[in-house]
Amino acid sequence: MDLNEKNLAVRLAGKRIGNNIHFYSEVESTNDVLFRLACDGAPHGTVVIAECQTKGKGRLNREWQSPPGCNIYASIALRPPIEPVYAPQITLMAGVAVADLLSGYCNGGVTLKWPNDVQIGGKKVCGILAEMSASSGDSVDFVVVGIGINVNIKKNDFDESIRNTATSLVEEAGQNISRLDLAADLFAKFDDLYTRLLDSGFGSIKDVWLSYCDMVGKQARVIFNNGIESGKVLGIDDFGALVISDKNGKTKRVIAGDASVVKG
Ligand code: BTN
């Protein structure tokens, strides 16, 4: 069955995530559309999904390639009862939800790269961009979690700049994937993990996140606005920071940037 408004509405009726769904054939960015809706009071679990994006946003002001008819571009509004400093837990939780989901579609090889890239065989298959509104340091108003999954896009249709570093489910699983099933399963998985996060805390989600992460124990380099940090990856902390041990054995936290494993 096709991914369209009617079919999705049937699959998501009564669910906490996606019961209130806005389906578009084209938007600039699902995150931007949902951010505006959330500012106007859209409830927890509201979803914006689009067939294509003309200004799909990636992390660090990058563009997210968003051609029509082949992938998933979705944003989910959450109203978590947490302090803003813990909001990165939501992003990491989203990574675990996608990693669990995609593990069901291909036989192994799904990993998480800090902070939130989902990879198969070391190539990026999904990106997550969370944007928060908080009017005070005490509580989050809402978080918009944007998820882009490369589903049925073929290798040759990726922009040349990412052709060798990106992949899609069809390339990895060898067959076309139902975007309707994938989207419905994504929202269900997301809801399970979100409920677990609120009920049981970040501990178990963090453990699963670390089990998917293949950077722990390796030397990594993190590039960010003001420079570069290098060191052995020790793990992540409860604020979503990457914890590394530098060449002098000093423990450091890195809160944002682009991480890659290096030799030596
Ligand atoms: C990244 O750089 O890894 C994050 C990419 C996030 C892309 C998704 S697609 C749906 C949502 N809308 C956007 O504009 N971006 C996110």
Side-chain angles (χ1 to χ4, degrees):
M1 284 222 272
D2 289 345
L3 178 70
N4 59 36
E5 183 159 22
K6 189 163 157 272
N7 290 341
L8 253 187
V10 170
R11 295 285 290 268
L12 300 174
K15 307 271 193 235
R16 274 181 301 213
I17 304 263
N19 187 39
N20 183 12
I21 191 146
H22 300 252
F23 192 101
Y24 295 91
S25 52
E26 183 180 296
V27 291
E28 288 194 347
S29 156
T30 57
N31 266 31
D32 289 351
V33 172
L34 186 52
F35 204 94
R36 285 193 291 272
L37 288 171
C39 285
D40 290 343
H44 176 87
T46 302
V47 165
V48 168
I49 186 162
E51 271 291 343
C52 90
Q53 302 184 113
T54 53
K55 284 192 187 155
K57 298 194 295 186
R59 288 176 57 244
L60 309 171
N61 291 325
R62 294 190 184 124
E63 185 198 335
W64 185 257
Q65 194 189 338
S66 309
C70 55
N71 296 330
I72 288 181
Y73 317 111
S75 300
I76 303 167
L78 304 171
R79 295 190 179 273
I82 59 171
E83 291 171 35
V85 284
Y86 293 112
Q89 294 182 355
I90 305 264
T91 317
L92 296 168
M93 176 223 89
V96 171
V98 176
D100 276 354
L101 176 75
L102 300 192
S103 295
Y105 283 83
C106 48
N107 207 358
V110 176
T111 54
L112 286 167
K113 184 163 89 80
W114 182 87
N116 48 22
D117 288 357
V118 187
Q119 302 185 315
I120 301 178
K123 294 183 174 182
K124 184 160 170 172
V125 67
C126 167
I128 297 166
L129 178 68
E131 297 180 283
M132 172 177 68
S133 167
S135 37
S136 81
D138 295 339
S139 65
V140 166
D141 298 330
F142 62 82
V143 181
V144 166
V145 183
I147 301 174
I149 307 179
N150 300 327
V151 186
N152 293 321
I153 183 171
K154 294 277 175 35
K155 183 178 167 91
N156 285 341
D157 293 327
F158 281 115
D159 286 343
E160 219 175 308
S161 57
I162 56 170
R163 198 166 293 156
N164 293 322
T165 52
T167 192
S168 63
L169 277 183
V170 68
E171 290 291 344
E172 300 300 326
Q175 57 184 23
N176 261 38
I177 305 293
S178 158
R179 290 185 299 144
L180 179 65
D181 288 346
L182 193 71
D185 291 349
L186 169 68
F187 301 135
K189 191 80 186 155
F190 198 94
D191 192 28
D192 286 351
L193 280 159
Y194 180 74
T195 306
R196 204 205 300 178
L197 177 65
L198 291 196
D199 289 354
S200 315
F202 185 53
S204 73
I205 307 254
K206 181 171 155 183
D207 289 345
V208 185
W209 193 95
L210 288 169
S211 73
Y212 277 117
C213 176
D214 59 359
M215 302 174 79
V216 179
K218 296 185 180 154
Q219 288 294 325
R221 183 187 299 129
V222 187
I223 301 175
F224 50 94
N225 281 348
N226 302 327
I228 298 181
E229 285 287 1
S230 300
K232 184 170 153 186
V233 176
L234 302 179
I236 50 171
D237 68 13
D238 285 356
F239 305 98
L242 187 73
V243 184
I244 61 172
S245 166
D246 75 7
K247 64 179 188 316
N248 301 316
K250 192 167 169 227
T251 301
K252 290 189 167 167
R253 302 173 66 242
V254 187
I255 55 168
D258 247 354
S260 51
V261 168
V262 291
K263 291 211 178 88

